[in-house]
Amino acid sequence: GQQVMQIPQYQHVQEGEDFTTYCNSSTTLSNIQWYKQRPGGHPVFLIQLVKSGEVKKQKRLTFQFGEAKKNSSLHITATQTTDVGTYFCIPRGVNDMRFGAGTRLTVKP
Amino acid sequence: DGGITQSPKYLFRKEGQNVTLSCEQNLNHDAMYWYRQDPGQGLRLIYYSQIVNDFQKGDIAEGYSVSREKKESFPLTVTSAQKNPTAFYLCASRQEVSTDTQYFGPGTRLTVL
């Protein structure tokens, strides 16, 4: 399957600060999916990006797919304690089922 | 979530015993997966099945076995050969031959004493 590097591995922010996690690939991706796993919970699908340069928003979350479709980012504006968890980015194909380590976000109230 | 159930939520077993974790889905998905997650780590693929009566090893299959006799069910057996079985086990499914999302069950936290 396709491999992406996600950075940072960990991020600790003060509540109200912004947060960004990045996914980078050496090859062009057909699409990318983002998942969130709360502590003690299971991964939940957030969004899928398919088009070059695509930008999608979900309230305080902004997802971007690079023009070359080799990178993607998730930006959270004004983090809240409910944003705590691990965020995974995964390129998806028929046989792609591996998850990386993700970015673990902690938020200090 | 999404019609996948795993039971039980917490499971305790003595060392040396085999234990079977259940996973059932009513989403009519072709593909099912088992992942293992250790504290603070990502998900590692144990086994997956793309169709009934067929399954493939993932990255850490040693010490585990699965069966896929029905489309809805994909039980995982943790055998005594698994050196460090204590972990959080997640089952997932998705429609095959597409880029559909994966739906996860709530997970089973296995502790071997």
Side-chain angles (χ1 to χ4, degrees):
Chain A
Q2 296 171 310
Q3 296 293 321
V4 294
M5 183 70 70
Q6 191 171 353
I7 55 171
Q9 192 171 356
Y10 303 96
Q11 184 78 59
H12 178 73
V13 299
Q14 188 78 37
E15 188 172 22
E17 291 181 339
D18 292 356
F19 159 76
T20 305
T21 174
Y22 301 90
C23 279
N24 299 304
S25 171
S26 57
T27 60
T28 302
L29 305 172
S30 58
N31 66 82
I32 198 153
Q33 294 181 351
W34 286 90
Y35 292 76
K36 176 185 177 182
Q37 183 180 22
R38 292 179 186 273
H42 57 277
V44 174
F45 173 76
L46 294 176
I47 211 157
Q48 177 168 277
L49 304 173
V50 179
K51 299 177 183 176
S52 168
E54 190 169 14
V55 178
K56 289 188 177 180
K57 292 190 176 184
Q58 291 179 350
K59 297 182 180 178
R60 294 177 295 102
L61 276 61
T62 301
F63 303 84
Q64 287 189 302
F65 204 9
E67 293 289 341
K69 299 181 72 174
K70 289 185 176 182
N71 54 71
S72 180
S73 65
L74 158 59
H75 179 81
I76 302 178
T77 303
T79 54
Q80 299 175 358
T81 54
T82 54
D83 296 324
V84 164
T86 301
Y87 294 85
F88 297 95
C89 65
I90 303 132
R92 278 301 186 205
V94 172
N95 294 314
D96 270 311
M97 56 209 71
R98 267 79 177 176
F99 277 70
T103 294
R104 194 175 184 188
L105 172 67
T106 55
V107 179
K108 185 177 181 181
Chain B
D1 276 8
I4 300 181
T5 57
Q6 289 184 247
S7 62
K9 189 169 184 179
Y10 298 96
L11 189 56
F12 296 88
R13 279 294 181 269
K14 289 183 179 178
E15 194 172 350
Q17 288 183 333
N18 290 358
V19 59
T20 298
L21 312 183
S22 78
C23 178
E24 305 278 331
Q25 54 101 358
N26 62 3
L27 301 167
N28 200 35
H29 283 169
D30 296 311
M32 296 186 73
Y33 310 82
W34 274 105
Y35 295 92
R36 170 185 170 135
Q37 188 173 37
D38 293 288
Q41 304 297 313
L43 281 67
R44 291 187 290 169
L45 182 66
I46 306 173
Y47 267 99
Y48 64 99
S49 168
Q50 295 174 306
I51 197 168
V52 174
N53 292 323
D54 187 45
F55 48 82
Q56 307 296 329
K57 291 182 179 180
D59 299 323
I60 55 164
E62 186 174 350
Y64 300 97
S65 65
V66 293
S67 62
R68 187 88 186 275
E69 297 176 2
K70 299 186 297 181
K71 190 175 187 178
E72 310 81 38
S73 179
F74 191 40
L76 173 75
T77 297
V78 184
T79 75
S80 56
Q82 168 50 234
K83 298 283 187 255
N84 297 297
T86 295
F88 187 43
Y89 290 88
L90 286 158
C91 178
S93 73
R94 71 167 171 159
Q95 195 61 276
E96 197 45 29
V97 298
S98 74
T99 56
D100 278 356
T101 65
Q102 263 180 316
Y103 293 88
F104 283 82
T108 293
R109 199 166 295 277
L110 173 65
T111 302
V112 175
L113 306 171

